[in-house]
Amino acid sequence: MRDHPSPTPDRSSCPPRGLGRAEAAARAALLDVVSYDLTLDLTTSVETFDSLTRIVVDSRAGDTFLDLKPTAVRSIHLDGMSVDVELLSAGRLPLALTEGRHEIVVDAVMPFRTDGEGLHRSVDPADERHYVYGMCFMDAAPTIFACFDQPDLKAPYTVHVRAPEGWIVRGNGQAENPEAGLWELATTPPLSTYFVTVVAGPYHLVTDEHDGIPLGLSARASLAADLDADADELFTLTRQCFDEFHRLFGVRYPFGGYHQAFVPEFNAGAMENPGCVTFRDPLVFSSAVTRGTRIKRAGTVAHEMAHQWFGNLVTPRWWDDLWLNESFAEYMGVRVTADVTEYHDAWVQNSYARRQWGLVADQRPTTHPVAGNGADDALTALQDFDGISYAKGSSILKQLAARMGDDVFLAGVRDHFDRHRFGNATMHDLLGSWTRAGAVGLDAFAAQWLSTAGPDRLDLDRDGRGVLLRTPPAEHPADRTHRLRLAVSDDGGHWHAHDLDVDAARTEVGALGDGAVLVDPWEDSWAVCPADPRTVAVLPDLLPRMSDPMLRAGAWNALRSGYHNAEVAPDDVVRAALSWLAVETHDAGPETVGPWLLRDVLPLCTDPSDAAERLHLGALSAARAASPGSSLQLSLTQVAIATCASPDRLESWLRAEGLPTGTDLDLELRWRILGRLAGLGAVDRSRLDTELDREPTGVSRVEHTRAVASLPDLAAKEFAWERFTGVTTAPNYEITAAGLGMWRCGQDDLLAPFVERYAADLSRAAAAHSGWVQGDAAAAFFPTTALSQTTVETMTALATDASLPAPVRRRLVDATDQLTRQVAVARRFGRS
């Protein structure tokens, strides 16, 4: 163990700044990175670790800089000559390089982080064991090792790790353990800095092999039994996806072994690090979950596997082409899940869970193009990992594949991989590959669909023979052609599909009758397609007769789009929900529509309490009629709990009395009930503390925080606020849970002062957090239930504060837009 020096470097008062695109281009023109050799000693402290970085570069003559964000620096050497550590400023070390090969060696002390970024260290509340994992994405790598942190300076990595005895270590290269505590990771193919990871701790490990590829799974020791129970499904999914991706792409997985690590307090769903993908560990199921949740996990597994080609083998040159990562992984992940796994209905789950996420993002003031998103610096680009880059981009790729045909689509993809293997590429590189494969008209398609922001709106005009009106967004004019289907109901309640090309502002569709018409319910295109008034009126009678689950999902997307734009009344939405819950067969429906109804719709009904009670009784009746123990029953029971206003009934359920037959009162369901009781003020803090002590798992800690913040008393709201402002330090999941628990409908008088406090304390809260957590905290604590024009005006003014960090401003603008739309619904339908 080496002594720790004083924290002397980086004396500048300026915060580290995001890398600019022009800076990245200049550095890439100057440098070729030959290799990285990293030595990480995780045994020195629970607050910091030692990091020794050796970088070999080939350089043209010129000035550049190294990215480094340490706690302290022992030494820096360039070609064996000492470099003054005092030169380090705002995360950058200036370098003056002559032409030729150079070696840079940095010996530094780095911080273990607790925000899900860098080298994150956490303590499992179940057994007090420590766990570490690396998340280098977007500006975090320099807190682990010295580097040139941009996607187009790829290099091989060799990593050596000293870890406490009893820990296991995994990373991008295959791991060997030649002596106690020492781990050697095999040298990788060229990687971007943001892919580098190390996962270390007393993890429970499960291994397998498929087609010559070593496979592994790991999770915290306290989740060992749950991981073992899930291992067969996870390995089966992995094998099926590898086989299909190999067939589709014609390129074998190129990164050696494939380890999937389920890690605590992970901000994203997963991260595609080559050879060692990291997932949030709630994806190891410790309680009963719905089929929709299992489909989501399967899709996440497939999504990260698709990244091994789209993103890892070929990486975008800059973040304005992040769609080359995320849109492709989203599309291929759902496609492969539906085609080769047991989850053939993955597109239905995707429709319920992802369509509105993307459409809503595309209607925000913060909308951006799928490609060429204008990301001039890395930190700003982080804000564009949203429903546009994922759901909209995926939809456009689905259209492209349909228009080209798979032969051309996949031939172009293979050409792209062959030309840019282990390198970087742009949108135009991929378009060139498709053109060589036989595609035509791609430049016009890309200009309209990929490079122009915002969705068209498609509205049905039933007068005369019927016309479909296409309206592009005023701020982002476009001339797009839509190939889609209309679903038209006849007098007997049967549905018929009608193919349609929409290539003008007005497209005649013929006489439609008086039944319901759904525009693009099978998601052949991308547009806002709100339900027209006649369809809204008759849907409650027709939903029970819809046998196609994708059509039902399309109906809900039509209603949700109309509601989002204040064109469908809350009472009409609830009326449709009541007719639908009794017949829905796909649990992704109640699982995704239920929370939206509770959050956005019920508070604005003519009589919110009555609407909630009717929805509660409808969900409970459907749960009792569902197959006992089924995932559909579970999703309906979750809706019933969330809408229950009877403490006596909730308490009986906690005693396992009166629950729908077959429902398992496991830990997750117990906390759902306790959280609802807390929001009603029917439990106190001491009881919640007792429940936490009874089973102090990671899940319990998060749900305890959410429940405490939900209590209708000032002490509970201050408990939450201390986590927002950093007075009380808490892990990232608990910070978000505190915010989401705090803003409860029916607690308006208690919460009213916190609207102004949010505005006053947002800068302080932003300073207390970093990275992803900054944005997550700003969104979670936003006053969502304060539905007034005054709140809108306060938040609109706050969003103009240029001193707020980019992640905070982005989430603030989006939340304010949502609040504005809720206020518009309230005004139009009488709840203002």
Side-chain angles (χ1 to χ4, degrees):
M1 182 183 298
R2 289 178 286 176
D3 292 336
H4 284 246
S6 300
T8 54
D10 206 353
R11 300 180 188 282
S12 168
S13 61
C14 299
R17 59 188 182 274
L19 179 69
R21 181 174 185 169
E23 295 176 308
R27 191 160 64 174
L30 186 72
L31 296 177
D32 295 309
V33 183
V34 177
S35 66
Y36 284 88
D37 188 286
L38 312 179
T39 301
L40 306 178
D41 189 342
L42 311 184
T43 66
T44 58
S45 164
V46 296
E47 289 85 23
T48 62
F49 61 96
D50 291 349
S51 172
L52 180 67
T53 307
R54 297 179 184 273
I55 313 173
V56 177
V57 301
D58 288 333
S59 176
R60 274 61 72 189
D63 294 336
T64 188
F65 58 91
L66 184 73
D67 298 300
L68 178 63
K69 300 176 183 178
T71 298
V73 176
R74 292 190 176 89
S75 64
I76 303 173
H77 288 85
L78 174 61
D79 298 330
M81 303 295 292
S82 180
V83 175
D84 185 359
V85 300
E86 299 286 342
L87 294 173
L88 180 64
S89 176
R92 296 181 175 186
L93 178 78
L95 296 171
L97 299 177
T98 58
E99 185 170 356
R101 179 156 292 190
H102 301 278
E103 182 183 60
I104 305 159
V105 181
V106 178
D107 188 358
V109 179
M110 297 296 198
F112 281 120
R113 296 174 63 171
T114 59
D115 59 1
E117 300 183 52
L119 205 56
H120 178 96
R121 187 171 189 137
S122 66
V123 181
D124 187 347
D127 56 19
E128 301 300 318
R129 295 183 181 185
H130 288 235
Y131 293 90
V132 168
Y133 63 86
M135 178 60 165
C136 284
F137 193 68
M138 283 293 195
D139 215 37
T143 66
I144 301 178
F145 58 97
C147 58
F148 298 101
D149 190 21
Q150 60 190 72
D152 59 344
L153 287 178
K154 297 173 109 173
Y157 284 79
T158 305
V159 181
H160 323 269
V161 180
R162 173 70 65 181
E165 293 188 25
W167 283 24
I168 67 164
V169 174
R170 290 294 182 269
N172 304 101
Q174 285 288 94
E176 295 185 358
N177 185 203
E179 63 181 67
L182 178 63
W183 295 81
E184 301 288 346
L185 306 183
T187 301
T188 70
L191 306 180
S192 298
T193 48
Y194 75 92
F195 292 136
V196 178
T197 194
V198 167
V199 176
Y203 285 94
H204 176 65
L205 182 65
V206 185
T207 60
D208 203 345
E209 183 273 342
H210 177 65
D211 194 19
I213 303 169
L215 304 179
L217 304 169
S218 60
R220 288 177 287 161
S222 63
L223 295 174
D226 301 314
L227 182 64
D228 288 344
D230 279 354
D232 182 63
E233 179 177 334
L234 290 166
F235 280 138
T236 297
L237 291 168
T238 303
R239 295 185 201 102
Q240 291 168 329
C241 290
F242 264 136
D243 290 346
E244 182 69 353
F245 284 127
H246 287 158
R247 184 187 74 81
L248 292 172
F249 297 155
V251 178
R252 277 186 60 81
Y253 170 70
F255 297 105
Y258 193 73
H259 188 79
Q260 297 173 94
F262 295 84
V263 298
E265 300 166 357
F266 197 69
N267 285 319
M271 179 63 200
E272 65 267 22
N273 317 300
C276 187
V277 177
T278 43
F279 297 81
R280 56 170 53 216
D281 67 10
L283 289 176
V284 176
F285 301 137
S286 55
S287 292
V289 297
T290 65
R291 178 180 173 84
T293 297
R294 288 190 178 276
I295 294 174
K296 181 179 179 180
R297 182 176 72 177
T300 302
V301 168
H303 178 112
E304 302 311 318
M305 294 183 73
H307 269 312
Q308 305 309 310
W309 289 266
F310 285 106
N312 298 5
L313 181 64
V314 181
T315 307
R317 184 169 298 159
W318 184 247
W319 301 113
D320 62 333
D321 270 326
L322 66 88
W323 76 286
L324 292 172
N325 282 7
E326 300 306 342
S327 300
F328 269 94
E330 182 87 352
Y331 167 60
M332 296 306 303
V334 181
R335 171 176 165 165
V336 168
T337 300
D339 286 352
V340 302
T341 79
E342 66 179 288
Y343 300 115
H344 56 86
D345 46 347
W347 285 112
V348 177
Q349 195 276 341
N350 185 76
S351 179
Y352 276 118
R354 307 292 264 188
R355 184 74 165 185
Q356 285 300 310
W357 177 46
L359 284 173
V360 166
D362 212 14
Q363 296 171 78
R364 298 283 193 216
T366 54
T367 187
H368 57 83
V370 171
N373 58 30
D376 289 329
D377 67 83
L379 290 180
T380 300
L382 180 59
Q383 310 320 306
D384 291 334
F385 283 78
D386 58 13
I388 297 169
S389 298
Y390 287 74
K392 180 181 180 180
S394 168
S395 176
I396 291 170
L397 288 171
K398 186 180 176 185
Q399 291 179 60
L400 265 176
R403 293 185 186 204
M404 291 182 191
D406 251 9
D407 288 347
V408 172
F409 182 81
L410 292 172
V413 165
R414 292 167 187 153
D415 181 79
H416 183 68
F417 293 152
D418 289 343
R419 289 174 179 271
H420 307 288
R421 183 179 177 88
F422 295 126
N424 298 84
T426 67
M427 174 182 74
H428 296 291
D429 292 327
L430 179 59
L431 296 181
S433 289
W434 274 326
T435 299
R436 283 187 290 274
V440 296
L442 289 181
D443 287 342
F445 183 92
Q448 298 298 327
W449 287 98
L450 295 172
S451 300
T452 303
D456 288 351
R457 177 174 167 135
L458 302 179
D459 287 288
L460 197 62
D461 182 351
R462 287 178 177 263
D463 292 342
R465 286 181 49 78
V467 173
L468 194 64
L469 306 176
R470 185 196 67 190
T471 308
E475 302 84 358
H476 308 284
D479 186 20
R480 304 182 180 102
T481 296
H482 299 266
R483 295 176 181 173
L484 50 81
R485 287 169 286 175
L486 302 181
V488 182
S489 69
D490 61 23
D491 293 341
H494 302 104
W495 291 85
H496 307 276
H498 296 267
D499 294 334
L500 192 66
D501 280 356
V502 181
D503 55 7
R506 296 173 58 87
T507 302
E508 288 194 8
V509 297
L512 297 172
D514 294 327
V517 180
L518 297 172
V519 180
D520 194 29
W522 293 286
E523 300 178 7
D524 301 310
S525 191
W526 181 262
V528 176
C529 305
D532 69 282
R534 177 60 185 164
T535 298
V536 172
V538 300
L539 260 181
D541 294 329
L542 294 173
L543 277 166
R545 287 179 278 177
M546 280 186 183
S547 59
D548 181 352
M550 193 69 186
L551 188 59
R552 291 196 297 272
W556 272 109
N557 282 321
L559 288 171
R560 292 176 70 178
S561 285
Y563 186 85
H564 184 69
N565 289 287
E567 295 162 8
V568 175
D571 290 342
D572 287 338
V573 174
V574 172
R575 195 161 57 91
L578 290 171
S579 73
W580 160 74
L581 282 173
V583 298
E584 180 56 71
T585 59
H586 201 291
D587 57 40
E591 188 172 42
T592 55
V593 173
W596 172 72
L597 291 168
L598 186 70
R599 181 187 67 245
D600 290 357
V601 179
L602 292 181
L604 299 182
C605 287
T606 303
D607 186 337
S609 296
D610 176 70
E613 178 65 11
R614 286 187 291 122
L615 191 63
H616 166 70
L617 294 175
L620 185 57
S621 175
R624 287 174 170 157
S627 177
S630 66
S631 64
L632 176 62
Q633 182 187 66
L634 177 60
S635 69
L636 292 163
T637 300
Q638 291 169 352
V639 175
I641 291 169
T643 51
C644 184
S646 168
D648 289 343
R649 174 170 287 172
L650 291 165
E651 288 287 1
S652 72
W653 288 349
L654 277 178
R655 297 190 299 270
E657 299 171 358
L659 281 168
T661 302
T663 303
D664 180 19
L665 185 63
D666 56 25
L667 182 67
E668 195 273 344
L669 207 64
R670 284 188 62 82
W671 276 108
R672 280 184 183 266
I673 298 170
L674 287 164
R676 181 59 178 160
L677 283 166
L680 295 171
V683 294
D684 59 18
R685 171 69 184 272
S686 64
R687 182 173 174 194
L688 295 174
D689 292 347
T690 299
E691 291 286 347
L692 174 62
D693 293 340
R694 171 180 167 182
E695 195 169 352
T697 67
V699 170
S700 296
R701 284 284 295 272
V702 172
E703 295 308 320
H704 171 267
T705 298
R706 190 194 314 271
V708 170
S710 300
L711 292 168
D713 61 65
L714 184 59
K717 305 312 176 188
E718 294 293 352
F719 164 91
W721 208 251
E722 288 175 359
R723 283 148 180 78
F724 178 48
T725 57
V727 172
T728 297
T729 301
N732 46 0
Y733 287 8
E734 292 178 37
I735 292 168
T736 302
L740 296 177
M742 178 175 177
W743 292 95
R744 292 291 182 184
C745 293
Q747 300 179 2
D748 297 356
D749 291 343
L750 176 63
L751 290 166
F754 287 93
V755 176
E756 290 297 333
R757 286 182 66 177
Y758 181 89
D761 289 349
L762 186 58
S763 292
R764 176 186 171 197
H769 307 298
S770 59
W772 292 53
V773 178
Q774 278 187 331
D776 287 349
F781 281 88
F782 185 88
T784 54
T785 64
L787 298 178
S788 72
Q789 187 59 33
T790 300
T791 308
V792 169
E793 292 168 359
T794 298
M795 297 301 130
T796 301
L798 183 60
T800 65
D801 183 352
S803 69
L804 292 171
V808 173
R809 291 188 70 195
R810 171 64 180 269
R811 302 298 283 275
L812 180 58
V813 169
D814 287 350
T816 302
D817 179 68
Q818 182 62 31
L819 182 69
T820 302
R821 291 174 181 275
Q822 286 290 95
V823 169
V825 172
R827 282 179 170 172
R828 178 166 185 182
F829 298 107
R831 290 287 298 166
S832 58

